Structure formats: structure tokens, C-alpha cells
Amino acid sequence: MKILFLIPVCLSLILSSCAQKPEPCKSPPLLEGALSAFIPGHHLHVFEKFSYDAFGQNVRVLAAGKDGNQTFFVDNLLLFKEGVSYQIHYHNQTCIKTALKEPFRHIGVPHDAHFLNQLVLGSSSLPGQGLLVNNWNGTWEETQEHYLLTFTALGCVPLYTLDFTQKGELSAITSFFDLVEGIEDPNVFIPPSFCDSVKVLPAKGGVGARSFISLL
């Protein structure tokens, strides 16, 4: 009789434990916001505003940064279904058009990521004083480099990413902020008319982007 009683209790505990463990996830399909990135090995600081459309597989990135003593500004439009990327220069109405062979990368936690822990950023004393987040780590299959990701527990919104070399050295730090679901202006994914007559250049070589973050 005791054994019969213990069986459902054990099953209940097992199911409860499985249900509580977070699973890898994808972020909202329509997302706008900003990020800052620091690449220590190149002394590169970047601030970006981006628009992300997972339905149409389009990304628009406005980036400004400092590479050593040099500052730069870039306006990139990536249309994955069309297989074309645009580097747009409004000040002189010129455009560099390049074949885009990279696969579209969703914002989210990779399917083979390892769940580390769940914690509260801020305070858990009172409602509204903290944010519940999940930490993940893993290895990018393409490069065998390592990562540490922090996403919100609800909504799968990215907060921080840390990338490491195969030797364990920190290679990039990225933090997200001011994220909003939806696209305020869908025209952000339409290239300007002065790009229409520009010839498409061959795709750039090199190692493919391992994630949406590295793609940016």
C-alpha cells in the first residue's frame, strides 16, 4: 500500500522538476531596440539600433562606433529571402549592394544550449523591483567558440551575451536595452530608390555568422 502511495508522489515530483526547467527559446518575431558591444581584442566599441523581422527575414541596423582612434557610422539593410544586403549612404545617395549568402539567424537561445541557472536581476523583495532571467552556455558549432547568454525568463528577450575564444579568452560583450515588440515603421526594410540601379557584388567570403548577434 505504501509503495502504491509513493509511485504517484515520485511521478509528481519528476514531472514538476521537468516542468520547471527552462527550455531554449526564440525571441519575439518582431523586435526593435538597441545594443552596445565591446570587442576587447580589437579595441572596438559599437552602439547599434536595429529592427528585426523574423517573419519576412529582414534586419535593419544603424551602427556607430569607435575602432581605435577612428569613429564610423554604418547603415545596413539585410534582406535574407531576397539574398541581398545594402550598405546605405544617405549623405551622398550611394549604395553598396552585396549578395547575401548567410542563413537568417533568429534571436534566441540555441537549441543545444545548456541551462545554467535562473536568478533575479535587482531585488526580489517586492513586485516590480527585479527581473527573472535565465542563464545559458554552450559552444557555437561553426567555430567551436563558447558563449554565455542571459535572456528574460518570460518572453525570451535578450539581455546580455558574452563570447569566448576556444582558449576561454573573452572576445565580445553585448548588452541589449530599450527593446520593444513590433515594428514602428515597416518601410525601414525598403531600400531607398537610389539603390535600385546598383549592381550586386559577389558575397563576401569568410566564416559564417554563428548567431544573430555576431551577424550584426
Side-chain angles (χ1 to χ4, degrees), residues 124-188:
S124 58
S125 298
L126 293 173
Q129 291 186 343
L131 179 64
L132 188 65
V133 303
N134 294 329
N135 290 317
W136 308 80
N137 71 352
T139 302
W140 301 118
E141 183 178 352
E142 296 87 344
T143 62
Q144 293 303 300
E145 295 177 341
H146 312 294
Y147 61 79
L148 174 64
L149 309 176
T150 300
F151 277 69
T152 59
L154 299 177
C156 195
V157 176
L159 297 176
Y160 304 102
T161 71
L162 299 177
D163 286 292
F164 302 87
T165 65
Q166 294 182 17
K167 296 180 179 180
E169 299 171 344
L170 182 64
S171 60
I173 306 171
T174 307
S175 59
F176 291 81
F177 53 95
D178 292 341
L179 298 178
V180 178
E181 286 193 52
I183 303 298
E184 183 177 0
D185 179 12
N187 291 326
V188 73

Side-chain angles (χ1 to χ4, degrees), residues 7-23:
I7 289 176
V9 172
C10 291
L11 287 175
S12 177
L13 290 173
I14 293 172
L15 291 174
S16 176
S17 174
C18 293
Q20 291 174 1
K21 185 178 180 180
E23 296 291 335

Side-chain angles (χ1 to χ4, degrees), residues 60 75 88-94 190-192 194:
R60 183 70 176 267
D75 183 351
I88 303 167
H89 303 277
Y90 280 98
H91 67 281
N92 58 6
Q93 294 201 336
T94 60
I190 300 176
F194 56 78

Side-chain angles (χ1 to χ4, degrees), residues 53-101:
D53 171 16
F55 294 128
Q57 298 189 0
N58 304 316
V59 178
R60 183 70 176 267
V61 181
L62 300 176
K66 189 173 183 180
D67 188 356
N69 294 324
Q70 301 293 322
T71 57
F72 62 88
F73 177 79
V74 178
D75 183 351
N76 283 340
L77 173 61
L78 311 175
L79 305 179
F80 288 87
K81 285 186 176 180
E82 296 181 18
V84 180
S85 70
Y86 298 81
Q87 190 175 112
I88 303 167
H89 303 277
Y90 280 98
H91 67 281
N92 58 6
Q93 294 201 336
T94 60
C95 186
I96 300 175
K97 206 171 179 179
T98 308
L100 182 61
K101 300 300 183 181

